[in-house]
Amino acid sequence: MTAALHVGIAEQGKLHALAGDHQEALRHYREAIRLAVASGSPEVCFRHYTQCVLESLERLAAWDEILAFCERVQAHYAANPPPHELARLDLAGAHERRGVVLLKRGDAPAARAALALAVEHAGAGRMPLAEELLGWLRRGMQVDARRVQQQQERHRYFIVEREAVRSERAIPLPKALGAPLR
């Protein structure tokens, strides 16, 4: 029952995200993460919900929170080198997200370095968004937030998409449960 509960709460969060209510989405995702961890659910659940959180934070332009998360991931892997492919892709994903955020903030040099690390850790052909943005930056192109957003959509960077949400599984949280993340 606990798995169905955290999955349902996360699905409700996704519905809120699709409606543009990212604060409410964050409240649901946080509770889904708490329940998944408390019940000993597979790590894939926690990872998926964390990606949903980061996506809503990005939609809210909560750059500092996203960058802090990316720094924690990078620090973790600096102390514990990635032991397998999934971990390498996790680290590459943190570098890509950092690069995207830095680019949206207007820090092209730092974004270029982060995107280069993403491609390096993932390997060629594994991070098409990072590779495209990095190529533009290496050619000296100006890349604004709108253009980054367009490429994110084109490369299906965002995981919360209408066709993937299972609304029949959604379970709304009572207002008193699950404090907002911000």
Side-chain angles (χ1 to χ4, degrees):
M1 177 60 178
T2 304
L5 184 58
H6 67 73
V7 168
I9 290 169
E11 289 302 297
Q12 182 66 44
K14 293 173 187 178
L15 290 172
H16 287 295
L18 290 170
D21 187 353
H22 292 284
Q23 290 298 336
E24 192 62 20
L26 289 169
R27 191 171 76 89
H28 281 74
Y29 298 150
R30 181 179 184 189
E31 187 61 19
I33 289 170
R34 188 189 70 72
L35 289 170
V37 170
S39 68
S41 292
E43 186 178 343
V44 68
C45 295
F46 173 81
R47 285 179 176 276
H48 178 72
Y49 303 155
T50 300
Q51 293 305 310
C52 292
V53 166
L54 292 168
E55 188 170 308
S56 278
L57 289 173
E58 189 168 339
R59 301 274 194 193
L60 291 169
W63 310 136
D64 292 339
E65 292 176 65
I66 298 166
L67 292 173
F69 173 83
C70 293
E71 288 168 12
R72 287 191 301 273
V73 170
Q74 293 162 7
H76 168 77
Y77 285 121
N80 308 285
H84 48 71
E85 183 68 10
L86 179 60
R88 279 189 296 283
L89 288 174
D90 186 45
L91 176 57
H95 285 299
E96 179 182 56
R97 190 169 301 272
R98 178 176 170 74
V100 164
V101 166
L102 291 167
L103 199 49
K104 285 183 174 182
R105 284 179 78 165
D107 188 349
R112 181 177 170 171
L115 293 167
L117 286 170
V119 172
E120 176 185 324
H121 286 287
R126 304 286 305 271
M127 312 260 343
L129 174 64
E131 289 178 19
E132 183 165 16
L133 296 174
L134 182 59
W136 290 352
L137 292 171
R138 285 180 173 159
R139 289 190 297 277
M141 296 173 68
Q142 296 296 315
V143 185
D144 62 16
R146 181 190 56 77
R147 196 148 182 215
V148 173
Q149 180 76 28
Q150 288 172 338
Q151 293 311 306
Q152 286 175 299
E153 299 292 340
R154 186 166 92 65
H155 288 288
R156 300 185 65 103
Y157 172 87
F158 297 110
I159 61 172
V160 177
E161 296 178 324
R162 190 157 310 282
E163 61 274 5
V165 176
R166 307 261 318 264
S167 60
E168 70 279 2
R169 298 178 87 182
I171 301 172
L173 281 175
K175 288 291 181 194
L177 189 61
L181 286 177
R182 287 169 54 72

